[in-house]
Amino acid sequence: MKINGTPFRTIWLAADGRGVEIIDQTRLPHDFVTVTLRTLADAEDAIRDMWVRGAPLIGATAAYGVALAALTDASDAGLDHAYRVLHATRPTAINLKWALDEMIACLRPLPVAERGGAAYARAAAICDEDSAANSALGEHGARIIAEIHRRKGERVNVLTHCNAGWLATVDWGTAIAPIYKAFDAGIPVHVWVDETRPRNQGASLTARELNWHGVPHTVIADNTGGHLMQHGLVDLVIVGTDRTTRNGDVCNKIGTYLKALAAKDNNVPFYVGLPSPTIDWTVADGVREIPIEERSPREQSHIFGKAPDGSVVEVQVIPDGSNAINYGFDVTPARLVTGLITERGICAASPEGLKALFPEKG
């Protein structure tokens, strides 16, 4: 994707071929800052403190984290240590474990002396695969938007939640990839952007990247979506996911479940965009089996914003003495999902639907 005409991915190798460059997403939307990761500890901090976020980008960063670790200790013990450190950073997104498993499977059979170079090559391949998968799922999802436009004959209004654009992946995005593809094809599209409290990843990130790309959009309070649906102002909902079960349950940013309920009640199609590494084939019941990350209450009690003098400041929004709790995700049952948009096509959110697209998973 492009920022002010310059092509960017969210993660890339530094000029020295060893460091790993990322966009510090905690500084968006007001400041565009890049950071160089040079150690395993840097990669750990980047994931845990959400300099990078979004399931595919977390996985890509973890892959490069293993490569950075291999620079100093590529032994079996060193790889095991890197795996444990990175796996502990975020509990919900399955792409993290998938990428770490991919790296270990690639490196373990090799002589120690060859592991460093192989680690960088496999991490780069994981990034390229993510970009290609998201571009493909964008093409599949854009057909849904094109069909709505054909029937409607006017602008298509899409509601999304949190950030599942290119900032959440290596490139293109998941939920937003179909929107980019449709927009680039000339289809008139407008996006309702949930602010997505408590970290405001819709208002800060989705709005920022749609603005960069020129896609018409409007930021709304999280609780506005149901009202818009009741009045026929939403043609479809597309969200991303951090983990999808083999039965089609979808775990995504907290508040997604409520959007799915409102969509169901108003007969609005509810789609989920996901590259296949986001599917957890070992889990059937998302509500009972997916661990839900509980983050710092400070994310709920405080908020960052731009002051009149241009400085970015943090302010407290709840009274002194009030408690806060901060669940990061919720699970939307498969029965509320119209379809899953993957790099191989669109399927029902069901075991049969997923097996039809991924028969090798049994």
Side-chain angles (χ1 to χ4, degrees):
M1 305 301 293
K2 292 183 179 180
I3 300 175
N4 299 326
T6 301
F8 271 92
R9 282 184 170 184
T10 54
I11 187 167
W12 64 97
L13 274 183
D16 63 7
R18 296 163 68 91
V20 179
E21 300 277 354
I22 61 167
I23 300 167
D24 181 355
Q25 298 189 27
T26 66
R27 302 290 296 275
L28 292 172
H30 306 298
D31 297 316
F32 181 79
V33 176
T34 62
V35 176
T36 304
L37 310 180
R38 298 199 177 277
T39 66
L40 171 63
D42 289 344
E44 177 189 11
D45 289 342
I47 297 171
R48 190 187 304 279
D49 295 339
M50 297 181 72
W51 305 349
V52 298
R53 20 70 53 209
L57 181 54
I58 289 172
T61 306
Y64 270 120
V66 173
L68 291 169
L71 289 175
T72 56
D73 186 359
S75 67
D76 287 353
L79 295 179
D80 290 343
H81 173 68
Y83 188 107
R84 289 192 301 271
V85 166
L86 294 166
H87 186 259
T89 53
R90 299 288 303 275
T92 300
I94 194 60
N95 299 62
L96 172 61
K97 182 179 185 301
W98 173 85
L100 291 172
D101 288 343
E102 287 287 309
M103 294 297 291
I104 297 303
C106 169
L107 301 178
R108 185 81 74 184
L110 301 177
V112 172
E114 297 178 12
R115 289 176 176 176
Y120 274 90
R122 184 66 187 112
I126 285 174
C127 290
D128 290 343
E129 291 162 9
D130 180 70
S131 177
N134 291 325
S135 178
L137 77 84
E139 296 286 353
H140 295 304
R143 291 200 292 271
I144 299 171
I145 299 174
E147 175 58 23
I148 293 173
H149 177 250
R150 186 191 65 77
R151 296 197 313 264
K152 187 180 178 185
E154 56 188 46
R155 185 179 76 176
V156 180
N157 290 299
V158 183
L159 185 145
T160 192
H161 188 68
C162 194
N163 174 255
W166 73 271
L167 287 169
T169 67
V170 175
D171 207 351
W172 284 106
T174 56
I176 309 299
I179 295 169
Y180 284 135
K181 295 285 187 177
F183 177 80
D184 290 349
I187 298 170
V189 60
H190 166 264
V191 186
W192 296 111
V193 179
D194 278 356
E195 61 186 349
T196 321
R197 287 281 291 145
R199 290 186 65 95
N200 288 327
Q201 290 159 308
S204 296
L205 303 179
T206 300
R208 175 69 277 182
E209 61 175 88
L210 291 175
N211 186 284
W212 275 326
H213 202 75
V215 179
H217 63 282
T218 304
V219 178
I220 58 174
D222 284 353
N223 291 327
T224 306
H227 170 77
L228 295 174
M229 293 182 210
Q230 285 179 325
H231 290 271
L233 297 175
V234 179
D235 296 304
L236 77 159
V237 180
I238 312 178
V239 300
T241 173
D242 287 76
R243 190 186 304 212
T244 296
T245 72
R246 65 174 183 265
N247 289 345
D249 295 338
V250 174
C251 182
N252 193 48
K253 183 58 62 181
I254 193 77
T256 302
Y257 176 44
L258 297 180
K259 300 302 179 297
L261 289 170
K264 185 73 170 180
D265 192 53
N266 290 280
N267 297 312
V268 174
F270 183 94
Y271 284 93
V272 180
L274 67 152
S276 55
T278 312
I279 304 168
D280 187 346
W281 299 97
T282 70
V283 170
D285 187 332
V287 175
R288 292 173 175 79
E289 296 182 64
I290 295 177
I292 299 299
E293 180 178 3
E294 187 174 338
R295 295 186 58 80
S296 168
R298 190 175 183 87
E299 294 179 352
Q300 181 71 36
S301 62
H302 290 68
I303 191 170
F304 284 92
K306 191 174 185 179
D309 65 359
S311 62
V312 177
V313 298
E314 182 186 43
V315 298
Q316 182 175 314
V317 294
I318 68 172
D320 290 338
S322 291
N323 293 324
I325 194 166
N326 183 15
Y327 294 108
F329 303 88
D330 59 25
V331 174
T332 298
R335 68 178 183 276
L336 300 177
V337 178
T338 304
L340 303 174
I341 309 170
T342 79
E343 70 269 29
R344 294 189 184 180
I346 303 169
C347 69
S350 67
E352 297 75 21
L354 284 166
K355 287 178 183 177
L357 287 184
F358 301 95
E360 72 277 13
K361 299 298 182 179

